[in-house]
Amino acid sequence: MNALAKMDDAARLQQEQNQFSQLSTYYDKKYRTGWFRMHGEPRPCFTPTLLSEISTYFSGVKQDMRLTQGQKYDYLVLASDVDGIFNLGGDLGLFANLIEQQDADGLLAYAVSCIEVLHANMSHLDTDLTTIALVKGDALGGGFESALSSNVLIAEKGAKMGLPEVLFNLFPGMGAFSLLSRKIGASKAEKMILAGKLYAAEELYEMGVVDILAEQGEGEWEVYRYIEKSNKNANSHRAMRQVKDACNAVSYDELLTITKIWAESALKLQPRDLRMMQRLVQRQSSKTELLASASV
């Protein structure tokens, strides 16, 4: 392929990446960093549309890396476009409908789309880049799992993270145990999952879950501080990422096995569990509307 064709392909891919409805993307040429910010609708959760758009964005990044022989991206940063919320996790409204219909195939298909995105982020798209999560608000359930899947988790003080699935008699089935157990040990990971509570970023930093703790309002600055520090010792940071990949690898098959258990368990939920799930959906919708009105 000649240089002009490569440039045309790169321009086309960049244009496609900017046509998302629930994802905002930005490329920082100076730092060779791609930012992708989530804004799922009608609630800031992992809607099927958002998952599809992240997958498409990842495909575009991988294609760009091939076209530039791996020179275009050094970092990808997962963040949010919603004030006060990183991501509220799985699409509970969709869950409830699929469970009521006993749609096993639909549940599993949704779960698989989640772990495909999560595993791609965790394995830094099978390329020589580093994935970073910037959490500035609530990261619940799958939102917390997505942050954990990044190679580096940066959170602002005051951000809240947790796994509330036990409240409706389920468990986080898209990587929480796999990721947490490798960071803090299996016993602590299980206790965190079964507690169903929210943790402040400060507490998670002390536990070793959050890698870098930022002051409120300084999350982006902390991302670039990390990038500059990493670039100064690029060989060391790259080697340590490879070591962590080798020692703490989470295979796709492991995630798939767990998410199949999750789908089977979800189909066994009782009406009282589904009522709790619907109440959480209502709370999420109310909080989203409140934050939206406050930002106007």
Side-chain angles (χ1 to χ4, degrees):
M1 184 183 293
N2 61 43
L4 181 59
K6 288 183 178 181
M7 291 176 63
D8 288 342
D9 280 345
R12 174 182 53 79
L13 287 167
Q14 186 64 41
Q15 185 180 30
E16 289 174 355
Q17 289 166 11
N18 289 331
Q19 292 178 343
F20 300 129
S21 63
Q22 299 186 19
L23 193 70
S24 300
T25 66
Y26 168 72
Y27 177 66
D28 186 330
K29 185 176 181 180
K30 177 180 178 181
Y31 290 96
R32 304 204 319 193
T33 298
W35 288 77
F36 58 115
R37 295 179 180 271
M38 304 174 287
H39 47 91
E41 297 174 359
R43 294 175 304 280
C45 63
F46 280 111
T47 65
T49 297
L50 177 58
L51 288 167
S52 175
E53 290 183 351
I54 293 174
S55 180
T56 300
Y57 174 66
F58 281 174
S59 295
V61 170
K62 292 181 72 171
Q63 177 72 352
D64 280 353
M65 290 286 276
R66 284 193 292 269
L67 294 173
T68 61
Q69 289 77 50
Q71 297 302 306
K72 183 165 184 177
Y73 292 90
D74 288 332
Y75 304 92
L76 282 187
V77 184
L78 169 64
S80 171
D81 257 343
V82 182
D83 289 340
I85 297 176
F86 177 75
N87 190 285
L88 298 178
D91 190 335
L92 298 184
L94 176 62
F95 289 176
N97 289 335
L98 292 173
I99 293 168
E100 288 174 347
Q101 298 167 16
Q102 289 293 286
D103 186 348
D105 292 339
L107 269 176
L108 185 58
Y110 175 86
V112 168
S113 67
C114 289
I115 64 169
E116 286 178 346
V117 166
L118 183 138
H119 189 262
N121 192 57
M122 183 192 315
S123 58
H124 37 91
L125 281 60
D126 295 320
T127 66
D128 191 25
L129 58 76
T130 297
T131 57
I132 302 171
L134 172 58
V135 178
K136 301 176 62 173
D138 292 351
L140 308 181
F144 189 19
E145 288 172 308
S146 67
L148 288 167
S149 73
S150 295
N151 303 145
V152 181
L153 201 174
I154 299 174
E156 288 191 358
K157 291 181 178 179
K160 296 289 193 300
M161 288 166 267
L163 302 162
E165 285 84 352
V166 70
L167 298 179
F168 46 85
N169 203 20
L170 203 53
F171 75 98
M174 287 74 175
F177 184 77
S178 297
L179 294 162
L180 281 172
S181 63
R182 285 161 170 80
K183 275 202 162 190
I184 61 175
S187 179
K188 290 181 180 179
E190 182 177 357
K191 288 179 180 178
M192 182 180 289
I193 288 170
L194 293 178
K197 61 174 281 190
L198 295 184
Y199 296 83
E202 294 90 330
E203 186 176 1
L204 292 173
Y205 177 71
E206 292 298 323
M207 294 170 62
V209 175
V210 169
D211 299 306
I212 298 172
L213 188 63
E215 296 294 332
Q216 287 190 1
E218 297 184 3
E220 283 82 2
W221 181 86
E222 202 64 58
V223 168
Y224 282 108
R225 183 183 179 196
Y226 169 80
I227 288 173
E228 289 186 339
K229 182 179 178 181
S230 178
N231 286 343
K232 287 179 181 178
N233 305 102
N235 188 57
S236 297
H237 280 262
R238 184 180 298 110
M240 279 306 304
R241 191 192 63 218
Q242 292 172 346
V243 169
K244 290 167 70 175
D245 285 347
C247 295
N248 297 322
V250 178
S251 71
Y252 180 83
D253 287 342
E254 176 179 332
L255 294 176
L256 182 59
T257 297
I258 293 170
T259 208
K260 286 180 178 179
I261 296 171
W262 175 87
E264 292 172 0
S265 299
L267 292 173
K268 297 175 184 178
L269 293 184
Q270 300 300 308
R272 66 177 182 275
D273 304 319
L274 294 177
R275 287 194 294 271
M276 173 57 76
M277 192 179 292
Q278 293 288 11
R279 282 197 289 272
L280 289 174
V281 172
Q282 292 171 4
R283 291 178 194 170
Q284 290 179 356
S285 298
S286 298
K287 181 170 185 177
T288 302
E289 292 169 1
L290 181 63
L291 288 170
S293 63
S295 64
V296 173

